[in-house]
Amino acid sequence: MVRRSFSSRVPADLGVNRLARALQEARAKGRPLIDLTLSNPTRAGFVYPPDLLVPLSHPRGLTYEPQPFGLPQARRAVSADYARRGVSVAAERIVLTSSTSEAYSLLFKLLTDTGDEVLVPRPSYPLFDHLTQLDAVTARPYDLEYHDGWTLDLAGVEQALSERTRAVLLVSPNNPTGSFVSRHELKRLSAMCAERGVAIIADEVFADYQIRPGACVDAGRTTDVGEGLVFSLGGLSKSAGLPQVKLGWIALAGAEALIGGALERLELICDTYLSVSTPVQAAAAELIACGAAIRKQIQARVASNYRALIEHVEAVPACTVLVADGGWYAVVQVPSIGSEEDLVVSLVDDGVVVHPGYFFDFPRESYVVVSLLPPEQDFGEGVTTVLRHIERSL
Ligand SMILES: Cc1ncc(COP(=O)(O)O)c(C=O)c1O
């Protein structure tokens, strides 16, 4: 008998895809590339104050004070940051994590048994495949539909719910569609979930980044939901452009009794790992405050690149920018001349990198997804190259 050495939680096929191979080759040859998939804010030309991380070296970080949910002052700082956005969440309902990815893992441990299901939006964040598989959870899709704006297919959610569904994942604003969950959608979804004992996990890491003025105010407020169980996820990675600092959080909302039960169990899970470093927690208030300067730069860049994208694409009738209300990404519908994969690989030859729509599980072709983070000049040149390539192929 051949014994298996490794868990099936890690995919058997670890090979790189065609786009990654084309990129490796182009980089090995030293070819200059404009990266329109750039999602790392620390590499996007923003000005980070050189003394931003000084609070991490404060002597208060020399004393280890293990607290499963994090130091009270850090939880209060996160609560105050919610208040900045006009959202009220008590510090006692905030659980610190080292990242949003870790928050998903903690919540899957809290809510699911092996083989249980969670519903994930489609199109959405590609990491959900790994995040669910690594915790032995089955991901079932529900659709976001586009009709001059994105809506959540609530009938589809209802159909996808099964005896084994433990949570519905929401991303608001979503990566890459830029759509916020509306108040009406959230109301119906939370009623549907509460009735069936299904939790909502709302990834709101991009909540600070609205593209359409008023989008944040119009959006459904997950932390105000008073029934069932709702977990809202956030973190410095996006809210302050500090992914390297590793500070995220979960804010709990819903029915009092359920929140109590969830906190008791989460305490044990978090106490098992104690993964958030003391210096980061001790410096949380200062990092959140200083992060505002970086957030402002990102907000301005994202808005200006989205406007530029609309202008460039307007000149090419075969292409359309889908409406994005927020987030760091934009979706461009392009003519289906060949496969998305052929298109993105040939664009590497032209010196520009974009994501194909299938990477985010778009149900059909052809879309390309661009990040709105690159410096304005690179962004404009990259988009022009993409559009010229498409025009040439028509
Ligand atoms: C929707 C979404 N959630 C979470 C993350 C990652 O957050 P963190 O760095 O806190 O794990 C990303 C990163 O791109 C994202 O797009």
Side-chain angles (χ1 to χ4, degrees):
M1 188 179 75
V2 181
R3 293 226 287 159
R4 203 160 46 92
S5 301
F6 301 109
S7 166
S8 58
R9 291 169 192 235
V10 180
D13 179 7
L14 296 172
V16 293
N17 61 34
R18 242 181 95 202
L19 173 60
R21 243 192 340 268
L23 273 173
Q24 280 170 359
E25 284 165 17
R27 288 193 175 122
K29 287 180 192 150
R31 304 251 311 273
L33 290 169
I34 295 180
D35 187 2
L36 295 186
T37 67
L38 177 75
S39 62
N40 178 351
T42 68
R43 298 256 182 218
F46 298 115
V47 180
Y48 284 74
D51 57 353
L52 187 91
L53 299 183
V54 167
L56 289 176
S57 62
H58 193 282
R60 68 200 156 190
L62 291 171
T63 308
Y64 185 36
E65 209 189 305
Q67 301 253 11
F69 293 153
L71 295 176
Q73 66 267 34
R75 297 166 73 197
R76 283 197 297 273
V78 173
S79 166
D81 197 50
Y82 271 103
R84 166 183 65 80
R85 289 199 278 117
V87 177
S88 165
V89 185
E92 294 70 36
R93 290 191 177 178
I94 285 165
V95 174
L96 301 185
T97 65
S98 61
S99 68
T100 316
S101 291
E102 190 200 34
Y104 280 113
S105 183
L106 298 173
L107 293 175
F108 293 153
K109 287 171 176 57
L110 172 73
L111 299 168
T112 68
D113 289 323
T114 302
D116 276 347
E117 298 173 2
V118 297
L119 305 192
V120 300
R122 174 175 67 186
S124 193
Y125 185 36
L127 208 61
F128 285 148
D129 288 345
H130 293 322
L131 289 172
T132 49
Q133 212 178 331
L134 287 173
D135 269 302
V137 180
T138 302
R140 299 250 177 259
Y142 70 88
D143 287 321
L144 303 181
E145 295 175 334
Y146 189 78
H147 311 279
D148 296 329
W150 292 94
T151 53
L152 216 148
D153 176 15
L154 286 163
V157 173
E158 193 154 22
Q159 268 173 15
L161 288 166
S162 79
E163 284 294 309
R164 297 217 67 169
T165 311
R166 307 302 311 136
V168 174
L169 275 50
L170 265 185
V171 187
S172 180
N174 185 35
N175 168 5
T177 61
S179 49
F180 286 82
V181 66
S182 74
R183 285 183 207 180
H184 159 77
E185 287 168 340
L186 182 62
K187 196 168 165 210
R188 283 196 50 203
L189 183 70
S190 51
M192 207 189 283
C193 288
E195 197 185 312
R196 292 166 174 79
V198 170
I200 293 177
I201 301 177
D203 180 333
E204 299 183 304
V205 295
F206 293 110
D208 282 296
Y209 300 94
Q210 67 172 18
I211 292 174
R212 177 176 62 78
C216 286
V217 176
D218 295 346
R221 278 246 179 119
T222 56
T223 44
D224 285 351
V225 173
E227 57 187 342
L229 252 186
V230 179
F231 303 92
S232 160
L233 313 186
L236 288 189
S237 167
K238 307 292 188 256
S239 74
L242 292 171
Q244 76 279 40
V245 166
K246 294 282 157 202
L247 182 65
W249 49 81
I250 305 169
L252 282 81
E256 285 288 338
L258 289 174
I259 293 174
L263 282 171
E264 272 173 14
R265 288 162 178 80
L266 266 177
E267 186 166 359
L268 184 144
I269 300 170
C270 294
D271 199 28
T272 305
Y273 295 101
L274 293 168
S275 58
V276 191
S277 85
T278 303
V280 160
Q281 296 184 53
E286 285 139 294
L287 293 171
I288 289 172
C290 296
I294 301 155
R295 177 169 58 246
K296 261 187 150 167
Q297 296 173 61
I298 303 177
Q299 284 166 332
R301 173 84 56 84
V302 162
S304 132
N305 279 343
Y306 187 70
R307 276 195 306 274
L309 180 68
I310 303 264
E311 277 170 28
H312 284 296
V313 174
E314 259 171 10
V316 182
C319 300
T320 313
V321 179
L322 304 196
V323 174
D325 283 346
W328 288 4
Y329 302 93
V331 181
V332 184
Q333 187 166 15
V334 298
S336 297
I337 305 154
S339 72
E340 281 177 355
E341 191 170 60
D342 286 345
L343 172 65
V344 297
V345 168
S346 56
L347 281 169
V348 172
D349 291 336
D350 285 7
V352 59
V353 193
V354 296
H355 277 310
Y358 75 78
F359 192 66
F360 301 84
D361 228 359
F362 274 74
R364 55 197 169 76
E365 300 211 340
S366 292
Y367 299 93
V368 296
V369 173
V370 295
S371 164
L372 299 169
L373 280 194
E376 278 93 344
Q377 193 177 340
D378 290 357
F379 185 81
E381 281 174 28
V383 168
T384 306
T385 306
V386 172
L387 295 174
R388 276 208 199 114
H389 181 101
I390 289 170
E391 284 184 311
R392 273 200 318 270
S393 342
L394 285 172

